[in-house]
Amino acid sequence: MTTSGFEEQTLVVPLAKIFPTRTVSRNIRDTTKFKTILASIEDVGIIEPLAVFRDKREPEDDPSYILLDGHLRLEALKALGATETVCLVSIDDEGFTYNRQINRISSIQEHRMILKALEKKVPMERIAKALSVNVERIRLRQHLLDGIAPEVIDLLKDRMVARGVFPVLRKMKSMRQIEAAEMMISANRFTVTYATMILSATRPEMLLDPKKPKQVMASPEDIARMEREMEKLYQDYRMVQDTLGETTLVLVVAKGYLSRLMRNEAISSYLVSHYPDLTNEIRNVMDAVGTDARAMQRE
């Protein structure tokens, strides 16, 4: 029962409505790091959106945003005379949550940003320079998702998947690609070796080329570990499936109790003042329970 740390859609926000959470030093614009960021944004635009949180004290029809991550990018945008930028909107106002959820841009996000830059007629050489790679790498990343099922792209869009995984997935038919993506998510393993082991275990009729795939370059210990993980995942899935309804009912009842507590102004104010982190986690759990309960009702 997990939820994303961000809203699904990015949002274009005026720079005047973004308020930093820390002060950037006056001499930051003279540093090499800042100049590199400045040149990158000037060449290809924002590759990784700023992470912000809606200020709940402001009216919904004219919101302001608290900046969680991207202070140097914001400063660079101001230096370039920009008036707005694309942002990821966090559902949690804790800065550490951003770092826990996303530490760097994913392969699929980078692919989309490269396509946007190419659509704007930005030369590959400039994109390669901004990303500190050679032009051939840009060509490869441009076609990263060719032959990949849309469902797989949606499943893996925020995951830190090794780029070499996608050529392996491309050898499978769409249905098997989806199964492979779900297996990688369940095991939290997004490596080429793991994807190759899944390919090796794929039935010929689920491959685009029905010839037997090459033997996986992995030790017997790796293969045995994968088999144990797959068996454990299946057992865990059946256990969750058998107890999901009962567990959800218990959580919904608990959520109702917590909701009544949080509506008590004295209790709510005390928690916010003395345990702000705990209060945010309680609210996140309550939101997650509500989302899962609604999903079960639709099913």
Side-chain angles (χ1 to χ4, degrees), residues 164-178:
V165 165
F166 296 102
V168 177
L169 293 177
R170 206 172 290 129
K171 297 177 181 179
M172 309 175 194
K173 292 183 178 179
S174 296
M175 188 59 67
R176 182 58 174 172
Q177 288 183 16
I178 296 170

Side-chain angles (χ1 to χ4, degrees), residues 44 123-135 138:
V44 299
M124 281 193 180
E125 291 76 12
R126 292 174 64 186
I127 301 174
K129 181 180 178 182
L131 297 178
S132 300
V133 298
N134 58 43
V135 175
I138 297 299

